[in-house]
Amino acid sequence: MRRCHVEPYLDEMARWPTYEEYVLCGLMTERGPWHHIPIVGAYKRYSPPSESSMRLATRELWNRAVARVTPTLMRAHKAVPSRA
């Protein structure tokens, strides 16, 4: 993602010990459509479970992440014109 598009959400991302990418992608929909361009340049590194941020994942944290992005995603869904 481009830095300029992510910068408005840096404070929000700092609040999440994990699921921050999920929240970021959900919240970015409020600024309009964006497209993933599958190019080489970034990749997810493997970390052992004891070192991965997913060790911090809990059901409560997941529920908070979903609740945080749901209103934004629902507004974006309503804004998309239906195709007849």
Side-chain angles (χ1 to χ4, degrees):
M1 297 175 202
R2 297 248 182 235
R3 183 176 297 152
C4 63
H5 297 296
V6 174
E7 284 178 341
Y9 303 102
L10 291 179
D11 290 338
E12 178 72 33
M13 289 174 45
R15 295 183 195 137
W16 297 92
T18 192
Y19 299 128
E20 68 279 0
E21 290 179 17
Y22 173 82
V23 173
L24 174 65
C25 289
L27 294 178
M28 284 181 63
T29 62
E30 70 188 354
R31 296 189 178 261
W34 57 277
H35 300 280
H36 171 71
I37 301 172
I39 60 171
V40 176
Y43 60 92
K44 188 93 172 161
R45 294 185 187 104
Y46 172 78
S47 297
S50 62
E51 298 173 14
S52 169
S53 67
M54 287 308 291
R55 75 185 185 288
L56 306 171
T58 63
R59 173 62 78 179
E60 179 185 341
L61 187 62
W62 173 247
N63 289 339
R64 280 184 38 222
V66 170
R68 179 65 180 99
V69 301
T70 296
T72 303
L73 294 175
M74 294 303 291
R75 283 191 302 272
H77 177 71
K78 289 178 183 177
V80 174
S82 62
R83 295 179 185 177

